[in-house]
Every structure is written in C-alpha cells, then in structure tokens.
Amino acid sequence: MFETVSGSPDPPPAAPSLATVSTAIDEVVELQRQVDALEARRLAAVARAGIAAERAESALLVHDDVELGRAGAGRRRDLARRAFTADLATALRLTEQAAAHLVDTAHTLAVRAGEAGHATLDGLRQGRLSLAHATAIADTLAELPTTEARALVEAAVLLRAAACTVPQLRRHLRRARDP
C-alpha cells in the first residue's frame, strides 16, 4: 500500500497489529504537535523581525533616491515594510505574496491583536491548533476594527477550533464576526 521513502526508518513488520498502527499514528500526531509549536515560534520570530524592521526603516531604504526623499512618512513606512517582506521572501524561498501573508498573520497574532491573538498563538505553540487554524483566525481578526472585537471573536471560536476542520472553523469565525 505505501512505498518506503528513501532515508526513512525500516518499515513495520509485514503484518502489523492495530496496536502498531495506533502507535504509528500517535507518532505522527506528536510530530505534528512539534511542527505546530515550531510554527508558533516562527510566527513570533517574524513578528519580532517586523518590529525591528519598522524601527530600522531608514536602514531598509536607499537614501539617495530623490522620490523617496519627497515621500511622506506613511509611504516610507510602506516601502520599508515591502523591503522587509521581500527580504523575508528571499530568505524563506517564498513568493512575496506568501511572505506578506506570513508577516500579516504574525503581526495580527503577536502584535496588533493585543491580548487577542496571543491565545491563538499559544494554542498553536501547544499543538492544539494547526498553522491553518491559526491563520484562519488571524485572517478574521485582522478584519476587525478594535482589540475588543478581536478578543470577543477569538474567545468565541478558540475552544471549538481544536476540534474542528479549518472550513468548519471559518464558518464559526463568520458567525462570531457577524452575529
């Protein structure tokens, strides 16, 4: 049924018992929990890098650019963020669009959301949520205008999130966002 992947451990015995299958699934679940915890660390690191990039705005921009010299503070901030995102995309071998979404997700969960978002990040860190779940929550939280609204929506869906698929979670998020 399955082929052995080069470099993988020896295949299980020819006639594994249900206990062997269950143990193998438990191993996969544990590995996924570790991957999710690493994804949470990655999001937190991206958020820290984004904050550092905001503080180092002038270092990210070319100083002898005439147009840049005439740009307002908002435009300069946008250009610095785009430079940071492009650098991150290159470093992670992502498209700029994927890197921008990663930066937005990290920012929403670790910075913008205030206390909201941190519980989602903790759920990811503890392996209760997948990155896809955390991203769905972040996408919805990012649409909300206030920290209070974000906290209410997150609280309304977080307990359910660990027990549902991402499409089911998106439905719960819509209901919580649009009561």
Side-chain angles (χ1 to χ4, degrees):
M1 179 157 103
F2 296 102
E3 292 182 26
T4 303
V5 178
S6 176
S8 67
D10 294 330
S17 66
L18 288 178
T20 304
V21 173
S22 180
T23 299
I25 290 172
D26 289 345
E27 179 184 11
V28 171
V29 169
E30 175 56 24
L31 289 169
Q32 185 61 54
R33 188 195 63 71
Q34 291 175 27
V35 167
D36 294 337
L38 286 171
E39 290 288 3
R41 287 179 58 193
R42 181 175 77 146
L43 286 171
V46 167
R48 285 190 305 275
I51 290 168
E54 286 175 13
R55 292 181 181 150
E57 173 187 304
S58 64
L60 291 171
L61 302 175
V62 178
H63 294 285
D64 60 355
D65 186 319
V66 175
E67 262 190 63
L68 186 60
R70 292 188 299 236
R75 177 75 175 136
R76 291 178 60 83
R77 199 170 28 257
D78 180 53
L79 290 170
R81 181 179 171 95
R82 289 175 61 191
F84 164 68
T85 301
D87 287 349
L88 185 64
T90 300
L92 296 178
R93 296 178 311 275
L94 297 173
T95 64
E96 285 192 38
Q97 182 179 5
H101 191 245
L102 178 64
V103 169
D104 291 342
T105 298
H107 184 76
T108 297
L109 294 180
V111 180
R112 179 175 182 243
E115 286 305 305
H118 291 296
T120 298
L121 206 51
D122 286 343
L124 180 61
R125 188 176 294 114
Q126 295 164 5
R128 291 190 320 268
L129 300 174
S130 70
L131 179 61
H133 287 83
T135 300
I137 292 169
D139 289 347
T140 299
L141 295 181
E143 298 170 354
L144 299 172
T146 66
T147 300
E148 295 79 24
R150 291 187 286 275
L152 288 172
V153 168
E154 183 185 46
V157 300
L158 209 49
L159 290 175
R160 293 179 177 171
C164 65
T165 65
V166 175
Q168 290 169 332
L169 174 60
R170 288 189 192 282
R171 284 192 296 278
H172 292 307
L173 283 162
R174 279 191 300 274
R175 281 188 221 119
R177 181 193 64 205
D178 306 325

